[in-house]
Amino acid sequence: MARFCACLGPDPGHRDARPTAADAHLTAMGAPPLAPGLALLPDEPGHAEGPFEASGMRAVGEVTLHNRADLLTALARAGAPAPPGCGDGEVLLRLWARLGAPGVALAEGMFALAVLDGRDLVLIRDHVGARTLFYARADDTWAAATSLRALRRWPALGTGMNLSAVRSFLVFAYLPGEETLLEGVREVLPGRVVRLAVDGTLTQQVYWEPREGHDEPSGPRPDDTYALKLRALLEEATARRLPEADAVAVLLSGGVDSSLVTALAAKLHSHPVHTYSISFGDELPNELGYSGLVAAHCHTRHRVLTVSGSAVAARLADTAALLDSPVGDPLTVPNLMLAEAVAGDGHGIVLNGEGGDPVFGGPKNLPMLVQEMHAGAPGAAGTPWYEDRATAYLRSYRKCWTDLPDLLTPEALAALDSAPAPQRFVEPYLTGPDRMTHLLDQLLHCNLRTKGAHHILTKVERLTASQGIQGRAPLFDRQVIDHAFATPPALKLRGTAEKSVLKEAVRDLLPATVVDRPKSGMRVPVQQWLSGPLRELGNDLLLGRDARRRGLFRPDTVRTWMRGEGTLLPRQGGKLWLVLTLELWLRAYDL
């Protein structure tokens, strides 16, 4: 159980066994060097290993490869066979050393890798962002870590709160790009190789980005061809993520995404499949009927975990502290409790159905599609209600975008006047010159690269790693994603039927009532929590001395929200949850 950090100082003596200037910075971050410039953070939950060496390069990493056999074959064909028994991190390092970025692109898995490559520090993050990696520069030294807290401890950086990132979080409910809440610290984007040089320069290389392609396949029924190919890819993606000789756990909500992963695991695995669902009490609407139906249909060993509001209140602060960036998702504590249940039952791997919406199209795209219909009307651009696509996207999120003038203090608003607008995170996908052709694909691309990488996968990784287990998402498989963007939009959104091609690909595996049911999502009783067990905590935190000293939020607005007054309904609970989550995270990082 560890994460890692790496430093590149002004004297680049990587091959020298003597301590370098960079090693002093590693020690300051709480990680005694294991090799010059490289260290593990043994007291932080993660899957880091190293250092390991190949072709004169040293590296540390958090690397789990799902297609290891294919990669070993590729190395052998390139004339650089890996030694027997070498770890996944060393395999990835050898791919980089021998084949460069194209070699990394061959890998399927979850990885963050830091490589001392000659006089440079090279940072590599997996295709979709299943593992995270951060970096910063101070005292003529580059530092990188899979732990944001380690960089916060770095005295040379002297970082404070990044106000621009505060606004981004309130708009998105997560941080959608390179920025973090620590001033001067950036996040490596997924599918990227970042090269940091001793002289302070930085270069970035994209080794993978999904591309749309609508070539019609041969055959009398193209629709069936897309679904059949998708089915084969889903089976392969699931099989590669199953443990070799042990039972597997699956988080089962009862929606089509988690249900199809459950069904595929039950079909492909020769060991028991254990499923886990959440309940917030019998008196609240839930999906237990559907999850129970799927569990019975697939003959899994099913367990329902009941989560009370008092448990959420008691554990919210500790859960927020586990995350490198806040996530304004009220399911965070229940997700952690599920991870604890899975680990307590002795499982090391848990599958989930995350990825269906950002990859194949869920209901949250519909407001933007409707907006586009109106925007295309004659004279629409001149009407008072017209908005550009990026702004309309922020509004469609229904977080705090429209509330910022009333929520933030005048001082905070004034300080943000010169800060880049939050639209910059979505503009490349919606209005940029390299955007995809069809609006649905643009939205999916945007969702994949923002919410997928910086909310869904990050949350899963940090919460599961805290319990020593691995959360794996077959629907975020790179080949599944490539096929999704090669599928015509009309097969993903057919009329009002979302994720149509995905449903057709697995229709024979599940009851029709599960496949054809409309998406409802997990109904979390946020408002009840905030007016019940979290009421006192919320008042103490959001109206207390620390919050007033920080000067972010207007106390009168917070009081109005806490009392359930104003015009925020029905999204009031979710917006207040964002503010509370942010406050807890800032306190955990002493900001």
Side-chain angles (χ1 to χ4, degrees):
M1 292 292 290
R3 296 197 213 174
F4 72 74
C5 56
C7 280
L8 180 69
D11 80 88
H14 307 314
R15 299 173 63 89
D16 195 329
R18 294 173 300 171
T20 68
D23 294 338
H25 291 291
L26 291 175
T27 302
M29 285 188 281
L34 297 175
L38 303 174
L40 298 184
L41 296 157
D43 296 328
E44 299 202 30
H47 304 281
E49 294 180 330
F52 31 83
E53 188 168 350
S55 301
M57 301 179 190
R58 285 198 190 98
V60 289
E62 295 192 45
V63 182
T64 301
L65 299 175
H66 301 318
N67 63 337
R68 178 185 170 92
D70 296 338
L71 300 177
L72 292 175
T73 300
L75 282 172
R77 288 175 177 171
C86 72
D88 283 358
E90 185 178 337
V91 171
L92 189 63
L93 174 61
R94 289 177 177 276
L95 284 167
W96 168 253
R98 185 67 176 183
L99 301 173
V104 173
L106 296 174
E108 177 64 55
M110 310 181 293
F111 51 85
L113 188 72
V115 183
L116 292 174
D117 183 350
R119 295 173 59 85
D120 299 336
L121 175 61
V122 175
L123 308 178
I124 303 172
R125 188 178 179 191
D126 64 70
H127 302 70
V128 294
R131 299 239 164 98
T132 50
L133 185 53
F134 308 95
Y135 64 97
R137 182 169 176 82
D139 195 23
D140 294 326
T141 298
W142 287 109
T146 49
S147 163
L148 195 71
R149 199 179 301 276
L151 294 174
R152 172 65 173 148
R153 291 193 296 260
W154 188 21
L157 188 60
T159 188
M161 181 183 67
N162 180 358
L163 186 59
S164 175
V166 168
R167 179 174 63 181
S168 297
F169 174 75
L170 294 171
V171 170
F172 290 91
Y174 57 90
L175 296 181
E178 291 180 300
E179 70 176 351
T180 72
L181 276 163
L182 297 186
E183 214 165 26
V185 180
R186 301 170 71 186
E187 182 176 343
V188 178
L189 294 177
R192 306 298 197 268
V193 175
V194 174
R195 182 178 287 273
L196 308 174
V198 173
D199 63 6
T201 58
L202 177 155
T203 56
Q204 184 170 218
Q205 181 178 6
V206 179
Y207 69 83
W208 179 82
E209 194 68 41
R211 306 292 179 193
E212 69 180 341
H214 301 155
D215 294 335
E216 289 294 315
S218 60
R221 297 193 64 186
D223 295 13
D224 287 354
T225 304
Y226 283 107
L228 287 170
K229 182 176 180 181
L230 176 58
R231 170 61 171 272
L233 291 172
L234 290 171
E235 292 200 6
E236 183 178 358
T238 304
R240 288 193 299 208
R241 286 161 175 80
L242 292 169
E244 290 186 5
D246 202 358
V248 68
V250 184
L251 303 184
L252 175 60
S253 69
V256 67
D257 302 333
S258 62
S259 297
L260 74 88
V261 171
T262 299
L264 287 172
K267 175 187 176 184
L268 300 171
H269 204 34
S270 57
H271 296 270
V273 175
H274 296 246
T275 49
Y276 296 78
S277 297
I278 294 174
S279 169
F280 297 113
D282 295 338
E283 68 280 5
L284 296 172
N286 59 66
E287 298 185 296
L288 295 179
Y290 290 103
S291 60
L293 176 63
V294 173
H297 181 79
C298 298
H299 306 290
T300 70
R301 301 178 184 180
H302 192 50
R303 178 178 172 184
V304 177
L305 185 70
T306 299
V307 177
S308 67
S310 58
V312 172
R315 308 200 56 185
L316 188 55
D318 290 341
T319 305
L322 291 173
L323 304 174
D324 286 293
S325 295
V327 173
D329 183 351
L331 281 172
T332 304
V333 172
N335 288 157
L336 175 61
M337 295 174 70
L338 280 174
E340 290 174 340
V342 170
D345 287 345
H347 303 293
I349 292 171
V350 56
L351 305 186
N352 60 68
E354 302 285 9
D357 286 356
V359 175
F360 290 97
K364 292 187 178 179
N365 298 300
L366 295 180
M368 280 294 295
L369 296 173
V370 172
Q371 155 79 12
E372 191 71 10
M373 291 170 59
H374 288 291
T383 59
W385 51 264
Y386 177 78
E387 288 181 321
D388 62 90
R389 277 185 178 175
T391 302
Y393 184 93
L394 300 188
R395 186 183 298 276
S396 73
Y397 250 69
R398 302 178 71 190
K399 304 303 180 185
C400 291
W401 166 246
T402 58
D403 305 292
L404 293 177
D406 297 320
L407 176 60
L408 295 178
T409 63
E411 295 78 13
L413 290 170
L416 286 167
D417 274 346
S418 59
Q423 285 92 331
R424 72 189 187 277
F425 295 113
V426 301
E427 284 171 342
Y429 309 102
L430 302 178
T431 61
D434 298 325
R435 67 186 183 277
M436 295 187 177
T437 304
H438 194 282
L439 178 59
L440 179 62
D441 284 337
Q442 293 171 14
L443 293 170
L444 296 182
H445 192 195
C446 185
N447 296 341
L448 174 73
R449 282 318 203 187
T450 56
K451 186 173 185 178
H454 300 284
H455 173 186
I456 299 172
L457 288 167
T458 300
K459 181 185 72 169
V460 168
E461 199 281 330
R462 288 304 185 232
L463 296 181
T464 55
S466 74
Q467 303 306 308
I469 60 178
Q470 287 190 15
R472 300 180 178 181
L475 294 180
F476 274 116
D477 181 90
R478 171 174 50 88
Q479 293 186 56
V480 170
I481 294 171
D482 285 337
H483 181 66
F485 281 100
T487 300
L491 298 185
K492 288 176 280 196
L493 180 62
R494 175 164 280 175
T496 58
E498 302 135 4
K499 300 183 282 194
S500 179
V501 67
L502 181 65
K503 294 174 180 177
E504 292 306 313
V506 298
R507 183 169 293 279
D508 62 305
L509 291 175
L510 294 165
T513 52
V514 173
V515 175
D516 295 321
R517 60 172 295 214
K519 182 179 178 66
S520 60
M522 183 69 69
R523 299 175 186 176
V524 187
V526 175
Q527 194 63 55
Q528 294 185 28
W529 293 345
L530 290 169
S531 59
L534 277 169
R535 182 177 181 82
E536 185 175 348
L537 175 65
N539 275 301
D540 290 346
L541 290 176
L542 299 180
L543 299 173
R545 181 189 308 168
D546 288 346
R548 293 198 308 271
R549 173 186 52 79
R550 204 178 291 114
L552 287 177
F553 306 121
R554 292 177 50 173
D556 56 333
T557 298
V558 172
R559 288 192 188 95
T560 298
W561 289 16
M562 290 295 297
R563 289 196 297 259
E565 299 173 357
T567 58
L568 284 169
L569 295 176
R571 306 291 295 184
Q572 179 183 11
K575 294 180 180 184
L576 189 56
W577 189 269
L578 292 187
V579 178
L580 179 58
T581 301
L582 177 61
E583 176 65 25
L584 285 168
W585 191 93
L586 292 172
R587 288 175 181 240
Y589 278 74
D590 194 27
L591 290 170

